[in-house]
Amino acid sequence: MKPRPLRIGLDSCVIPLRHGGLSLVQTTDFFYPIIDDPYMMGRIACANVLSDLYAMGVTECDNVLMLLSVSQRMTEEERDKVMPLIIQGFRDAAEDGGTSVTGGQTVLNPWVIIGGVATAVCQSSEFIMPDSAVPGDVLVLTKPLGTHMAVTAHQWLDMPERWNKIKLVVTREEVELAYQEAVCSMATLNRTGG
């Protein structure tokens, strides 16, 4: 009888393997460009992929594949400048996570999309299933909340109709600072909690 995946619906899947009590813990994720710096966007995308493993308690990733969609709307010159920076940021984050990018897929598409697949082979004692919390358990946040709001507010700086809705409660300087902190946070691996 073939082993069945556990807990469909989580960001990572856990598949019991046929050999020696091992399981495959694997995830896939992607990002659209949400910031202006291509290198940091690559780092953020890789950190996002690896974070799904980390959320399962898996801190050692055996393999990362990179999924890259190159925009048809970019000129060849733009592609030659932007795409290598995205790729390098993704690779550097993988290396910081103790793994490397060993392959992947690149396609031409209307939009730039960056993502990947992270895989680890583990003993059952090397991962946790994050689905059994009960009232009173301690929740550990490995990154601050609100990064999406900071990025959105930053995008609104160039949209007068939207900026006018929030400018009474926040200054441009506060939005710029929150944006920079959000970018740094998103590009940082959350391999260790707290």
Side-chain angles (χ1 to χ4, degrees):
M1 179 181 210
K2 186 176 179 181
R4 295 178 50 207
L6 303 176
R7 312 282 196 255
I8 292 175
L10 297 173
D11 282 344
S12 294
C13 69
V14 177
I15 302 170
L17 300 177
R18 295 182 303 266
H19 311 291
L22 298 174
S23 292
L24 179 76
V25 181
Q26 192 170 52
T27 185
T28 185
D29 216 330
F30 67 92
F31 255 70
Y32 293 100
I34 58 171
I35 63 167
D36 297 332
D37 183 329
Y39 176 82
M40 291 301 281
M41 192 61 241
R43 285 194 67 89
I44 289 167
C46 187
N48 185 59
V49 171
L50 289 173
S51 72
D52 290 347
L53 289 185
Y54 300 154
M56 302 286 289
V58 176
T59 59
E60 301 300 325
C61 177
D62 294 314
N63 181 55
V64 175
L65 302 175
M66 181 171 39
L67 306 173
L68 183 61
S69 168
V70 180
S71 175
Q72 298 164 330
R73 297 178 184 147
M74 297 172 81
T75 67
E76 190 171 330
E77 182 181 354
E78 289 170 330
R79 287 183 202 149
D80 289 346
K81 288 181 181 179
V82 171
M83 302 321 289
L85 290 170
I86 291 174
I87 292 167
Q88 191 60 53
F90 194 95
R91 284 183 173 160
D92 286 352
E95 186 177 307
D96 289 349
T99 190
S100 61
V101 179
T102 59
Q105 180 70 29
T106 303
V107 297
L108 203 55
N109 195 50
W111 315 276
V112 173
I113 303 171
I114 178 75
V117 178
T119 304
V121 176
C122 304
Q123 300 283 343
S124 60
S125 62
E126 295 178 300
F127 64 88
I128 57 170
M129 297 303 295
D131 63 351
S132 56
V134 295
D137 282 354
V138 175
L139 180 63
V140 177
L141 298 179
T142 57
K143 292 189 179 182
L145 300 175
T147 55
H148 188 357
M149 291 172 50
V151 171
T152 299
H154 188 262
Q155 292 170 340
W156 287 8
L157 288 174
D158 296 326
M159 301 174 181
E161 69 284 353
R162 300 227 175 173
W163 172 245
N164 287 336
K165 293 179 181 182
I166 64 171
K167 71 180 183 181
L168 298 176
V169 295
V170 66
T171 67
R172 285 185 167 274
E173 293 77 21
E174 290 169 328
V175 168
E176 289 290 349
L177 179 60
Y179 171 77
Q180 291 304 323
E181 289 178 6
V183 168
C184 289
S185 173
M186 289 186 294
T188 301
L189 298 177
N190 58 337
R191 197 172 183 186
T192 57

